[in-house]
Amino acid sequence: MSVLALADQSPTITPSELISGLVPPPRFDAARFSTYRPSPNEPSQQVALDTLSRYAEQIADPPKRGLFRKAAPMAGGYYLDGGFGVGKTHLLASLWHAVPGPRAYGTFVEYTHLVGALGFAETVKQLSGHRLLAVDEFELDDPGDTMVMTRLLSELSDAGVKLVATSNTLPDKLGEGRFAAEDFRREIHALASRFDTLRVDGPDYRHAGLAPAPAPSSDDEVRSAAAAAGQASSASLDDFESLTTALSRLHPSKYGRLLDGVPATFVTGVRPLDDQSAALRWVVLIDRLYDRTIPVKASGVPLDELFTPEMLKGGYRKKYKRATSRLLALAREAG
């Protein structure tokens, strides 16, 4: 086997692969309602589990109309609101697994990438026959993405597609503290009416009862660990600056393909990110690493300092905090 540099790779992905790839990530292949463990101290978790279980049954076997009256309409969709690591993605993936196809599962960003690849009309055509559209990590990066997703979800809902989304902010609060907040709010209010909100409360399970994240390794330790891992499989080893530059040249829709077949990744020279565009690209990469359960071993600053204090106070702070939570979990898995 060998050690490869992610920065040297140039993966490709076709539009048809984007559609067929709208499934839960490998980390949640086995997620089912039966494997979700609601905390007895957080009753909202049990409520969410029961509600989505019933909803899956309704989607699979919708109420029939009687001879003289219409059946009661089903909810257009549900919005799972809660903090990081409370099991929202587990519930969303469980719903997807419980509903017969066709159905689609992706993050907010993945759907905007799909529209960019296929065009809006073709995306609506491809997805309008689905029973369910699951949208994980509903986040707003710019007004253009907001308007595209608002229109896409509205048209799919009108076509009878059921919608379920997760986020860390209530629908009418998304976009606060960001540029053009009034434009965001106007769009979001129209979309929020499509959902019934389900709260999912609780602490971040990824860090409950765990020791602090591992201290950074030295550059030599990271390189030695990568070489050892490369003897058994194709691990990746990158310099942080080189990888950051390479990500700027690669469309985020390809980050998942970039990591296909990589069992572990090693990065030297991590430093705090003070450029927002670079930071947002790293968020996408971290999400794809987490999806695939790829452990991360790094040197440089502690990984909970990847995003600067200024970033963690800004409009994208929820996105950066979620990425930090996931990155620390991957660092623990690396040992």
Side-chain angles (χ1 to χ4, degrees):
M1 295 295 177
S2 62
V3 176
L4 58 86
L6 297 177
D8 295 338
Q9 311 306 307
S10 298
T12 60
I13 186 167
T14 66
S16 61
E17 288 174 322
L18 287 174
I19 287 286
S20 63
L22 290 174
V23 299
R27 178 177 286 269
F28 295 98
D29 278 345
R32 300 293 188 275
F33 289 131
S34 60
T35 62
Y36 182 75
R37 297 290 180 262
S39 169
N41 299 321
E42 302 292 347
S44 64
Q45 295 183 9
Q46 185 67 56
V47 171
L49 174 62
D50 293 342
T51 301
L52 291 182
S53 296
R54 290 193 299 269
Y55 194 51
E57 294 172 357
Q58 292 173 339
I59 296 174
D61 187 19
K64 303 297 190 297
R65 295 186 178 187
L67 290 175
F68 302 106
R69 63 181 179 87
K70 295 181 179 179
M74 291 172 60
Y78 285 100
Y79 191 101
L80 277 62
D81 174 75
F84 313 116
V86 296
K88 301 186 306 297
T89 298
H90 186 130
L91 287 168
L92 188 67
S94 298
L95 175 68
W96 186 91
H97 284 296
V99 171
R103 72 278 203 229
Y105 180 110
T107 64
F108 179 94
V109 171
E110 287 173 321
Y111 286 115
T112 60
H113 292 164
L114 183 66
V115 172
L118 299 185
F120 185 85
E122 183 62 22
T123 301
V124 172
K125 178 181 177 182
Q126 291 286 342
L127 297 177
S128 60
H130 284 47
R131 294 172 182 260
L132 170 71
L133 194 79
V135 185
D136 202 12
E137 300 162 14
F138 200 107
E139 297 173 347
L140 305 170
D141 295 341
D142 58 58
D145 282 349
T146 306
M147 289 187 288
V148 166
M149 282 298 288
T150 299
R151 184 181 167 202
L152 176 65
L153 297 186
S154 295
E155 292 203 16
L156 293 175
S157 180
D158 290 343
V161 181
K162 303 307 175 186
L163 311 173
V164 178
T166 74
S167 187
N168 303 305
T169 311
L170 288 169
D172 62 351
K173 299 298 182 184
L174 284 168
E176 286 189 354
R178 302 186 185 176
F179 180 73
E182 290 303 321
D183 290 339
F184 274 107
R185 197 170 292 115
R186 182 171 55 251
E187 290 296 327
I188 294 158
H189 275 302
L191 182 60
S193 65
R194 302 271 176 167
F195 297 93
D196 289 338
T197 300
L198 285 173
R199 286 285 304 174
V200 187
D201 296 311
D204 186 341
Y205 78 91
R206 285 188 286 267
H207 306 294
L210 294 176
S217 302
S218 69
D219 288 353
D220 287 343
E221 288 171 336
V222 170
R223 294 189 185 103
S224 295
Q231 293 177 4
S233 57
S234 297
S236 71
L237 171 64
D238 285 90
D239 167 70
F240 180 79
E241 295 294 344
S242 298
L243 182 53
T244 300
T245 299
L247 292 177
S248 70
R249 299 192 295 261
L250 188 66
H251 193 275
S253 65
K254 299 178 180 179
Y255 288 10
R257 179 58 56 86
L258 179 70
L259 298 169
D260 283 351
V262 175
T265 190
F266 301 84
V267 184
T268 59
V270 173
R271 65 162 179 82
L273 289 165
D274 53 11
D275 176 78
Q276 189 149 264
S277 295
L280 290 172
R281 285 190 285 268
W282 265 95
V283 167
V284 177
L285 183 68
I286 291 166
D287 285 343
R288 301 293 81 79
L289 287 164
Y290 185 77
D291 289 346
R292 289 158 176 76
T293 321
I294 299 175
V296 176
K297 190 174 186 68
S299 65
V301 302
L303 292 178
D304 57 1
E305 296 178 15
L306 177 61
F307 305 107
T308 64
E310 291 74 21
M311 294 286 191
L312 295 175
K313 295 176 183 176
Y316 296 104
R317 60 190 176 277
K318 289 182 179 292
K319 181 175 287 191
Y320 296 140
K321 289 179 179 179
R322 187 199 71 236
T324 299
S325 171
R326 291 181 165 186
L327 184 57
L328 295 183
L330 295 175
R332 291 192 184 96
E333 291 176 5

